[in-house]
C-alpha cells in the first residue's frame, strides 16, 4: 500500500506581495510559503528555483540539513515573481493572483478566484502521481493547464518534463522537446523557440512537444541544479539546464547529462498562457469557449463568449460589440467614458470623468498612499523591458485632482511631477488598499448577479464561497424564486449558508426545507407511477427474497443526489455472498388478520401496523421498521402511492386484498457494515412485495423506488447499493443526468474476484467498528448543492477513477486494480476525513507492508475493510497478524464469494 508524501507548497512572488502575503491572503498563508527573488540580482529561472527552495528550507526546516528537509515532503513551486513586463496591470501582486472570471460552463468556480485557484489543483494532482523519487515540481505562475480524463502514470526519471502537442507555428514561441518518433516519452534534445521551418525539418525523425513549464526533479536533479547555482550567478532552468538534458543534448554538461530524463505528453492537453495583456484576454476567451454546449450553462446566447471581461467593477458606460478585446477589473467606469477596443482597465477609482480612450489605450491605477495613486498609461502590446522597467515615467497624483483631460494627455504628452518606474511601483503599491477596493466593488455586483440568476452564472458558482462574500456585506439576499426543482433546493441552501456565515438564526430551517424539496423531487417521480397491489400467492405459500451485499471498489458518491442528477454517476462494484450465503433475506406470506406484521429475525423484534397513520410514520426517528413501512407504502398500501387511491382505512384495503401480510427480515451483517445493507434490504423487500402483490417491478424499477424510499426516510443515499445487490457479479454502473436515474450496467470479467483471488489475496475483514453514514451524507450533500469546489473536484476524480478501475478489471490487471482501490480510499478521505479514524489506522499499520491496497467499504469509519495483498505470502502474513492480534473481540475475517445471481425471489 502506497504511503504518499505530504506536499509543501511554495510561491515566488513580487517583493511587496511576498512581504504582505500573510496579511493579504491569510487563508492561503496557512498552506503556502511565499518569498521573493532579490531585487538587485536577477537569478533566472534556475537560480530563482534554488533561491525559493533555500528560503523555504531556512524558514521551515528548523535545524534539519537541506537533504533531510527536502525528503520530508514534496515541494510544489510556482514562480509568479517576475517583473510582468508584458502584463503590467498585475505586476505588483504577481500573475498567479490575476483575478479570473468564472467560466460559464463550469461548476464550483468563485467570484474571487485567481489564476492560482485554477493552477494549483492540477499541479497537485500531477505531483500526486509522480514517481517515488520526485521531490520538487517547478511550474510557471502565468500558465494554466488542463487535460482530459485521468492522468496516466508518470515515467520514473530524475527529470520529468511535461509537454503538449501543438502545431509548429505555436511551438516556435516556446521551448520545444524533441523525442525519437518511436519513443515519444524519451527526450532527445530541447530547443528554445526554434523557427517553424526548423521544427518541420526535425520532425522527419522526431516528434515535438512544447514545454508547458512544468518540470519534476528528483533529489539528485535538485542537487545538480543546486551546484550550478552555488556561485549565485544567473542561471536558467529552461534555457541552460534544459538544453543539456536528453540523449542528444543541445549543450553538453557532464553532471546534467548523467541525469535520466523523460517526457510526459499531456493527454488531450490544454495550455492557457496569461503572460501578456493580450494573452490575458485571449486565454480567458479560450477558457470561456472551450465548452459551447448550451445545456452546460443554461439560457444564454448561443454565440461564443465575446472577448469582453468585466469583473469586480461598477460600469455605467456603454459597452457594445465594437468594444472588443476588453478587460475591466476592479474599476468604476461611469457613463462619461467612451470606450473603443483593446483596453485593459484596472484599479480605476470612483469618478465622474469625461474620457475618450483610443484603441489600444490601457490604464492602471495603483494606490501608493492615502489619497494618492500612481497612474500607469500604456498600450496593449507595450513591453517594459530593460531600461523601461527602471525609468521613472508614471505620475503619482492626488486621486481627487484627476480628470479626463489629464488621463488623455498621458498618451500624448510628456509627464512631469513625481514619477515612479515600473520597478518602484511594485515596491510602493498599497496592496491592502487595492484589495479593499476590489472587495467593495465585488459587493456591488453580488445582488444584481443573484437577481439575474436566470442569465448569470450565479447558480453555477461555488455557492458556499459566494455566501461568505455575501455575508460580509450588510445586504439582504434578494428574491430569486427559481422554477427548476434543483435550483429551488440550491436557493434555500444558499440562504442558509449566508445566515450561518452571519451567525444568524434560521439556517437549520432553510436547510431542512432544502432537503425536503430534494426528497419531494425524487419521490414525486414515484408518485407518477402508482400501483395497485393484488394478491398473487396462495394461503400456504411463502415468498422468499434474498440478495448478496456489494463491495464498492470505485466511484462511490457519484451515485448520490444531487451529484448524479446533475452529472450522472459512474460506479464499479461487485456483488458477493458472505460465508457461502446471500446475507440479506426477506420472507413474506399472506395472513388472515387485516394487518401488516414486520419481524426482524436477527434483532428478535416485531411490529404490527393497522392504520394508514401508523404506516405513514416511516420518516420518524425512533419509529421501528421504517424501511418496511416505506416499502409497504411504495407497494400501494398508502393511498399516496396507490393507483386507485386505496380505501378509507388500511384494514378495508387489506380485506379487499385478501388478508394481511407478514414479512420477516434477516440481515446477517452487523449494522454500519459499509456493505450497503440498508439499501439492499429495502430493495429486497420491495422485490419480495412486488412478487407477492403482482406489481411487476424489474431491477430498474426496484432501484428507482429504493432511491425514493431512502429519501422518504430522510436518510438520503444513492443508487449504487441497491443496484450492486440486485445485480450479479462485477460491473461498471452508469447513469445519465436527470431526476430519473436509469442505471446502465456494463458487465466486467470476474477473474480477479474468483477462487484464484477471493479469500487469498482478496480479503474481507470486519473491523468490529461501526459508524452510521447519515451525518456524513448530509454534510457532503450540502457541499454538492452549494457547488463546493473542493467537493465537486474530488467527486469528479472519484468518477474518473471508476473508469480506471473498470479498465483494470477488464484487463485482469491486479496491480492496476490495487491502484484504483488505493485511489478510491485516498479520495474518500479527501471528501470526509472521518473515513479513516485512528482505530482503523491501528488495524492497517501492522500489515501495511503486505498490502497493495485497502479501503473501508461504504462511507468508511468502520465496518468492513477490503484488503488487496501484494501476493499469496503477504496475504498469509496479514491473516496471521490480524487473527493472532485482533483489534477487538468482534473483528474477524469473513469469506466472500461472487454472487452469480444477484437478487432472487422464489416461492414455497
Amino acid at each position: 500500500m502506497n504511503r504518499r508524501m505530504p506536499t509543501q507548497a511554495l510561491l515566488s512572488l513580487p517583493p511587496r506581495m511576498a512581504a504582505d502575503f500573510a496579511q493579504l491572503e491569510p487563508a492561503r498563508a496557512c498552506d503556502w510559503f511565499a518569498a521573493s527573488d532579490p531585487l538587485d540580482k536577477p537569478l533566472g529561472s534556475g537560480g530563482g528555483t534554488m533561491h525559493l527552495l533555500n528560503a523555504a528550507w531556512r524558514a521551515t526546516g528548523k535545524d534539519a540539513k537541506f537533504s533531510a528537509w527536502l525528503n520530508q515532503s514534496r515541494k510544489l513551486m510556482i514562480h509568479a515573481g517576475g517583473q510582468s513586463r508584458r502584463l503590467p496591470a498585475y505586476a505588483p501582486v504577481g500573475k498567479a493572483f490575476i483575478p479570473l472570471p468564472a467560466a460559464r460552463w463550469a461548476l464550483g468556480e468563485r467570484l474571487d478566484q485567481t489564476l492560482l485557484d485554477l493552477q494549483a489543483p492540477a499541479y497537485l494532482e500531477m505531483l500526486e502521481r509522480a514517481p517515488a523519487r520526485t521531490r520538487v515540481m517547478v511550474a510557471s505562475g502565468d500558465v494554466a493547464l488542463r487535460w482530459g480524463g485521468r492522468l496516466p502514470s508518470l515515467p520514473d526519471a530524475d527529470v520529468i518534463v511535461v509537454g503538449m502537442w501543438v502545431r509548429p507555428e505555436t511551438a516556435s514561441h516556446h521551448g520545444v522537446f524533441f523525442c525519437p518518433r518511436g519513443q515519444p516519452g524519451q527526450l532527445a534534445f530541447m530547443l528554445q523557440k526554434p523557427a517553424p521551418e526548423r521544427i518541420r525539418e526535425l520532425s522527419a525523425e522526431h516528434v515535438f512537444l512544447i514545454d508547458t513549464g512544468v518540470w519534476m526533479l528528483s533529489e539528485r536533479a535538485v542537487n545538480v541544479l543546486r551546484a550550478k547555482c552555488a556561485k549565485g550567478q544567473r542561471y536558467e532552468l529552461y534555457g541552460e539546464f534544459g538544453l543539456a538534458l536528453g540523449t542528444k543534448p543541445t549543450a553538453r554538461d557532464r553532471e546534467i547529462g548523467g541525469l535520466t530524463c523523460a517526457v510526459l505528453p499531456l493527454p488531450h492537453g490544454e495550455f492557457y498562457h496569461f503572460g501578456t495583456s493580450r494573452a490575458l484576454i485571449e486565454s480567458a476567451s479560450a477558457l470561456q469557449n472551450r465548452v459551447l454546449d448550451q445545456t452546460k450553462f443554461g439560457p444564454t446566447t448561443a454565440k461564443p463568449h465575446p472577448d469582453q471581461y468585466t469583473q469586480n467593477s461598477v460600469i455605467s458606460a456603454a459597452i457594445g460589440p465594437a468594444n472588443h478585446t476588453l478587460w475591466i477589473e476592479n474599476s468604476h467606469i461611469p457613463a462619461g467614458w467612451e470606450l473603443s477596443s483593446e483596453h485593459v482597465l484596472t484599479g480605476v477609482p470612483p469618478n465622474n470623468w469625461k474620457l475618450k480612450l483610443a484603441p489600444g489605450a490601457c490604464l492602471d491605477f495603483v494606490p501608493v498612499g492615502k489619497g494618492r495613486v500612481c497612474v500607469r498609461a500604456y498600450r496593449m502590446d507595450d513591453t517594459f523591458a530593460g531600461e523601461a522597467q527602471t525609468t521613472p515615467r508614471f505620475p503619482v497624483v492626488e486621486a481627487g485632482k484627476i480628470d479626463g483631460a489629464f488621463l488623455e494627455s498621458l498618451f500624448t504628452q510628456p509627464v512631469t511631477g513625481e514619477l515612479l518606474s515600473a520597478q518602484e511601483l511594485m515596491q510602493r503599491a498599497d496592496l491592502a488598499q487595492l484589495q479593499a477596493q476590489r472587495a467593495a466593488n465585488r459587493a456591488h455586483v453580488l445582488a444584481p448577479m443573484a437577481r439575474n440568476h436566470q442569465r448569470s452564472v450565479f447558480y453555477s458558482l461555488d455557492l458556499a464561497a459566494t455566501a461568505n462574500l455575501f455575508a460580509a456585506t450588510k445586504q439582504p439576499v434578494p428574491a430569486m424564486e427559481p422554477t427548476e426543482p434543483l435550483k429551488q433546493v440550491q436557493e434555500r441552501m444558499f440562504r442558509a449558508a449566508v445566515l450561518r456565515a452571519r451567525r444568524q438564526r434560521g439556517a437549520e430551517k432553510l436547510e431542512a426545507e432544502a432537503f425536503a424539496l430534494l426528497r419531494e423531487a425524487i419521490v414525486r417521480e414515484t408518485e407518477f407511477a402508482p400501483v395497485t397491489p393484488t394478491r398473487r400467492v396462495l394461503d400456504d405459500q411463502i415468498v422468499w427474497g434474498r440478495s448478496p451485499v456489494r463491495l464498492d471498489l470505485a466511484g462511490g458518491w457519484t451515485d448520490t443526489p444531487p451529484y448524479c442528477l446533475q452529472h450522472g454517476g459512474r460506479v464499479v462494484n461487485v456483488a458477493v455472498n458472505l460465508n457461502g450465503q446471500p446475507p440479506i433475506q426477506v420472507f413474506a406470506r399472506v395472513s388472515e388478520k387485516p394487518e401488516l406484521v414486520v419481524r426482524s429475525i436477527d434483532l428478535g423484534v416485531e411490529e404490527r401496523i393497522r392504520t394508514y397513520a401508523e404506516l405513514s410514520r416511516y420518516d420518524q426517528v425512533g419509529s421501528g421498521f421504517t424501511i418496511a413501512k416505506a416499502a409497504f407504502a411504495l407497494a400501494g398500501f398508502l393511498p399516496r402511492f396507490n393507483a386507485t387511491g386505496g380505501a378509507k382505512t388500511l384494514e378495508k384495503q387489506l380485506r379487499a386484498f385478501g388478508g394481511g401480510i407478514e414479512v420477516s427480515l434477516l440481515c446477517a451483517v452487523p449494522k454500519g457494515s459499509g456493505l450497503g445493507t440498508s439499501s439492499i434490504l429495502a430493495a429486497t423487500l420491495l422485490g419480495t412485495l412486488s412478487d407477492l402483490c403482482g406489481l411487476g417491478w424489474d431491477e430498474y424499477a426496484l432501484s428507482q423506488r429504493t432511491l425514493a424510499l431512502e429519501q422518504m426516510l430522510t436518510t438520503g443515499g444513492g443508487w449504487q447499493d441497491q443496484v450492486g445487490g440486485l445485480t450479479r457479479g462485477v460491473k461498471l454502473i452508469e447513469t445519465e443526468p436527470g431526476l430519473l436515474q436509469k442505471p446502465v450496467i456494463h458487465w466486467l470479467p470476474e477473474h480477479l474476484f474468483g477462487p484464484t483471488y477471493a479469500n487469498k489475496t482478496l480479503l474481507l475483514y470486519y473491523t468490529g467498528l461501526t459508524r452510521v453514514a447519515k451525518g456524513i451524507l448530509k454534510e457532503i450533500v450540502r457541499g454538492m448543492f452549494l457547488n463546493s469546489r473542493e467537493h465537486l473536484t474530488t467527486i469528479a476524480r472519484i468518477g474518473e477513477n471508476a473508469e480506471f478501475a473498470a479498465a483494470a478489471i477488464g484487463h485482469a490487471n491486479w496491480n492496476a486494480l490495487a491502484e484504483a482501490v488505493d485511489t478510491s480510499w485516498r479520495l474518500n478521505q479527501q471528501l470526509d476525513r472521518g473515513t479513516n479514524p485512528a482505530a482503523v489506522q491501528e488495524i492497517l499499520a501492522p500489515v501495511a507492508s503486505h498490502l497493495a491496497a485497502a479501503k473501508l467499504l461504504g462511507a468508511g469509519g468502520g465496518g468492513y475493510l477490503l484488503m488487496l495483498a501484494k501476493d499469496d505470502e503477504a496475504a498469509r502474513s496479514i491473516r496471521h497478524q490480524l487473527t493472532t492480534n485482533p483489534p477487538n473481540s468482534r473483528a474477524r475475517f469473513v469469506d466472500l464469494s461472487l454472487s452469480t445471481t444477484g437478487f432472487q425471489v422464489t416461492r414455497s
Side-chain angles (χ1 to χ4, degrees):
M1 187 167 62
N2 293 329
R3 292 183 176 231
R4 286 177 170 78
M5 263 189 164
T7 297
Q8 183 179 11
L10 315 177
L11 269 174
S12 176
L13 295 173
R16 184 64 183 268
M17 183 64 180
D20 295 348
F21 183 65
Q23 174 194 348
L24 297 172
E25 298 285 340
R28 292 188 201 274
C30 297
D31 301 317
W32 292 81
F33 171 83
S36 64
D37 287 351
L39 279 175
D40 58 343
K41 197 172 188 180
L43 298 175
S45 53
T49 294
M50 284 313 309
H51 179 79
L52 182 57
L53 273 176
N54 285 326
W57 166 45
R58 294 188 187 101
T60 67
K62 296 182 180 178
D63 296 326
K65 291 185 177 180
F66 179 83
S67 177
W69 171 80
L70 189 66
N71 284 286
Q72 288 172 2
S73 62
R74 288 176 166 175
K75 320 297 178 186
L76 168 61
M77 304 178 59
I78 297 182
H79 285 297
Q83 295 177 329
S84 293
R85 294 187 297 268
R86 296 183 297 162
L87 182 60
Y90 297 102
V93 295
K95 294 173 186 174
F97 287 98
I98 297 171
L100 288 185
R104 57 182 178 167
W105 47 265
L107 281 179
E109 296 198 347
R110 299 200 319 257
L111 288 175
D112 60 347
Q113 71 184 7
T114 64
L115 177 55
L116 182 62
D117 293 308
L118 268 64
Q119 295 170 319
Y123 293 149
L124 287 168
E125 181 181 351
M126 195 179 292
L127 187 56
E128 192 177 87
R129 296 188 61 77
R133 75 167 88 177
T134 296
R135 287 295 173 271
V136 173
M137 172 190 277
V138 182
S140 174
D142 61 3
V143 169
L145 297 180
R146 296 181 62 95
W147 55 85
R150 190 177 192 270
L151 195 70
S153 296
L154 271 63
D156 190 5
D158 289 314
V159 180
I160 304 169
V161 292
V162 179
M164 201 177 80
W165 308 108
V166 297
R167 296 182 181 278
E169 289 73 17
T170 302
S172 65
H173 300 290
H174 301 272
V176 183
F177 303 127
F178 291 89
C179 309
R181 282 203 160 270
Q183 297 174 292
Q186 180 186 94
L187 179 67
F189 55 89
M190 180 184 182
L191 296 178
Q192 283 295 333
K193 299 182 180 181
E197 297 75 18
R198 179 60 173 157
I199 295 174
R200 290 189 180 93
E201 178 187 339
L202 291 169
S203 66
E205 296 182 2
H206 301 86
V207 296
F208 62 91
L209 305 92
I210 62 165
D211 178 11
T212 63
V214 177
W215 290 33
M216 284 169 262
L217 310 176
S218 69
E219 181 181 8
R220 183 181 173 205
V222 170
N223 287 333
V224 170
L225 179 62
R226 194 180 189 203
K228 298 296 176 185
C229 303
K231 295 180 181 179
Q233 71 268 28
R234 181 185 180 93
Y235 188 78
E236 294 294 341
L237 180 67
Y238 308 109
E240 294 181 76
F241 193 93
L243 298 183
L245 290 169
T247 56
K248 300 177 181 178
T250 306
R252 295 286 176 178
D253 185 287
R254 199 164 106 184
E255 290 80 14
I256 298 173
L259 300 173
T260 58
C261 182
V263 179
L264 173 68
L266 206 59
H268 310 291
E270 299 171 29
F271 181 88
Y272 301 94
H273 181 234
F274 294 87
T276 71
S277 298
R278 191 174 297 278
L280 170 68
I281 299 172
E282 290 175 348
S283 290
S285 291
L287 275 169
Q288 290 288 340
N289 294 318
R290 70 179 295 273
V291 176
L292 295 178
D293 180 350
Q294 297 163 54
T295 64
K296 303 298 184 186
F297 47 81
T300 186
T301 176
K303 297 179 182 178
H305 193 291
D307 52 359
Q308 301 168 338
Y309 295 94
T310 59
Q311 300 178 81
N312 312 313
S313 297
V314 179
I315 300 175
S316 301
I319 296 177
N323 305 118
H324 65 82
T325 319
L326 186 65
W327 182 275
I328 303 176
E329 195 272 320
N330 193 19
S331 295
H332 282 249
I333 310 296
W337 285 46
E338 185 178 336
L339 306 178
S340 53
S341 60
E342 298 190 329
H343 302 315
V344 175
L345 306 174
T346 48
V348 183
N351 68 90
N352 58 0
W353 307 325
K354 299 290 184 182
L355 175 64
K356 182 176 181 179
L357 288 177
C362 302
L363 288 168
D364 180 33
F365 294 74
V366 183
V368 291
K370 189 173 183 180
R372 290 161 58 82
V373 295
C374 182
V375 184
R376 178 158 33 189
Y378 61 98
R379 300 286 176 178
M380 172 70 75
D381 296 313
D382 280 354
T383 58
F384 296 96
E387 292 184 2
Q389 192 73 13
T390 56
T391 302
R393 55 185 296 186
F394 304 119
V396 176
V397 295
E398 297 289 334
K401 295 181 180 180
I402 298 174
D403 59 23
F406 167 75
L407 294 174
E408 290 179 11
S409 73
L410 295 178
F411 293 96
T412 59
Q413 301 175 17
V415 185
T416 59
E418 183 184 355
L419 303 177
L420 297 180
S421 68
Q423 191 173 87
E424 289 171 332
L425 182 54
M426 292 176 67
Q427 296 299 303
R428 294 273 301 276
D430 188 335
L431 301 183
Q433 188 176 336
L434 201 63
Q435 188 180 67
Q437 177 180 319
R438 181 175 287 118
N441 286 336
R442 188 185 299 118
H444 282 289
V445 304
L446 287 172
M449 176 177 284
R451 281 193 294 267
N452 192 37
H453 62 85
Q454 288 188 327
R455 300 189 66 81
S456 75
V457 296
F458 181 79
Y459 278 114
S460 298
L461 294 170
D462 183 330
L463 292 175
T466 307
N468 288 333
L469 293 176
F470 219 110
T473 74
K474 296 182 180 180
Q475 305 174 55
V477 178
M480 291 182 273
E481 299 177 358
T483 56
E484 297 176 38
L486 293 183
K487 286 185 178 177
Q488 290 175 356
V489 180
Q490 287 182 293
E491 187 261 353
R492 284 162 177 78
M493 285 284 193
F494 174 74
R495 290 180 182 275
V498 172
L499 290 177
R500 189 176 290 110
R502 288 176 173 168
R503 298 185 178 179
Q504 296 176 344
R505 295 180 180 178
E508 292 75 14
K509 181 176 181 293
L510 282 168
E511 198 165 276
E513 290 178 10
F515 279 105
L517 285 170
L518 173 62
R519 288 196 296 274
E520 284 302 309
I522 294 174
V523 175
R524 192 179 303 121
E525 296 296 324
T526 302
E527 290 185 86
F528 291 154
V531 294
T532 303
T534 305
R535 177 173 170 172
R536 288 289 187 265
V537 292
L538 302 175
D539 290 342
D540 62 346
Q541 280 188 305
I542 294 176
V543 180
W544 178 26
R546 60 260 189 215
S547 297
V549 288
R550 65 96 189 96
L551 310 181
D552 59 304
L553 304 177
W557 291 112
T558 70
D559 65 304
T560 304
Y563 188 88
C564 62
L565 309 184
Q566 296 170 313
H567 307 276
R570 285 173 287 176
V571 172
V572 174
N573 67 28
V574 53
V576 297
N577 294 324
L578 302 182
N579 296 323
Q581 297 292 328
I584 309 297
Q585 304 198 17
V586 175
F587 305 88
R589 61 183 290 271
V590 174
S591 61
E592 292 184 5
K593 287 186 178 182
E595 62 183 6
L596 303 175
V597 182
V598 190
R599 299 186 180 92
S600 170
I601 296 174
D602 48 299
L603 298 178
V605 294
E606 76 171 34
E607 185 169 346
R608 295 174 184 269
I609 304 160
R610 299 183 176 90
T611 67
Y612 285 142
E614 292 172 341
L615 186 59
S616 65
R617 293 189 191 120
Y618 48 73
D619 62 345
Q620 294 188 4
V621 177
S623 174
F625 297 107
T626 53
I627 290 176
K629 290 177 182 178
F632 276 121
L634 288 170
F637 291 98
L638 202 62
R640 178 182 178 187
F641 303 99
N642 190 294
T644 64
K648 288 186 176 181
T649 66
L650 178 59
E651 180 182 350
K652 288 184 177 181
Q653 182 177 346
L654 290 172
R655 288 190 185 280
F657 177 78
I661 301 176
E662 294 182 3
V663 296
S664 298
L665 312 177
L666 173 62
C667 184
V669 181
K671 185 178 181 181
S673 66
L675 301 180
T677 51
S678 61
S679 300
I680 297 171
L681 176 62
T684 306
L685 177 53
L686 287 169
T688 303
L689 291 176
S690 173
D691 187 88
L692 186 143
C693 301
L695 304 177
W697 288 336
D698 59 12
E699 289 173 350
Y700 161 67
L702 290 175
S703 170
Q704 189 67 26
R705 279 165 172 76
T706 303
L707 192 65
L709 182 148
E710 292 190 320
Q711 292 296 330
M712 291 162 64
L713 301 184
T714 74
T715 56
W719 44 253
Q720 83 136 321
D721 295 347
Q722 57 265 32
V723 178
L726 289 169
T727 54
R728 63 171 176 82
V730 191
K731 57 268 183 186
L732 167 66
I733 314 163
E734 296 184 295
T735 63
E736 294 294 326
L739 280 173
L740 279 174
Q741 289 285 288
K742 188 169 185 177
V744 175
I745 299 175
H746 308 272
W747 302 107
L748 300 173
E750 300 177 348
H751 175 68
L752 296 181
F753 303 89
T756 304
Y757 291 88
N759 308 310
K760 295 179 180 176
T761 48
L762 184 70
L763 302 170
L764 187 62
Y765 185 73
Y766 179 57
T767 64
L769 310 170
T770 59
R771 184 188 189 202
V772 179
K774 183 176 179 179
I776 313 162
L777 181 66
K778 183 177 179 180
E779 179 64 30
I780 293 174
V781 168
R782 179 192 292 127
M784 292 177 184
F785 268 123
L786 290 174
N787 298 332
S788 161
R789 174 184 292 183
E790 182 181 1
H791 286 83
L792 293 181
T793 300
T794 301
I795 297 173
R797 292 183 64 189
I798 286 172
E800 292 171 1
N801 188 51
E803 291 186 348
F804 178 78
I809 295 169
H811 291 100
N813 187 328
W814 178 255
N815 291 332
L817 174 61
E819 182 180 347
V821 170
D822 184 61
T823 300
S824 288
W825 177 230
R826 180 169 40 80
L827 291 173
N828 284 354
Q829 292 176 70
Q830 286 183 17
L831 204 57
D832 169 30
R833 294 178 182 175
T835 295
N836 184 13
V840 172
Q841 296 174 39
E842 289 172 4
I843 295 173
L844 288 170
V847 297
S849 62
H850 304 297
L851 287 169
K855 77 178 290 282
L856 284 170
L857 298 166
Y864 279 81
L865 178 65
L866 183 67
M867 293 185 280
L868 282 68
K870 291 180 177 178
D871 50 41
D872 288 348
E873 181 60 35
R876 284 190 287 271
S877 296
I878 293 168
R879 276 190 178 275
H880 176 76
Q881 172 67 30
L882 294 180
T883 302
T884 56
N885 300 286
N888 55 69
S889 59
R890 298 177 299 281
R892 59 192 179 273
F893 283 97
V894 177
D895 281 355
L896 63 94
S897 57
L898 266 177
S899 170
T900 58
T901 60
F903 168 67
Q904 286 181 290
V905 61
T906 54
R907 301 182 180 205
S908 62

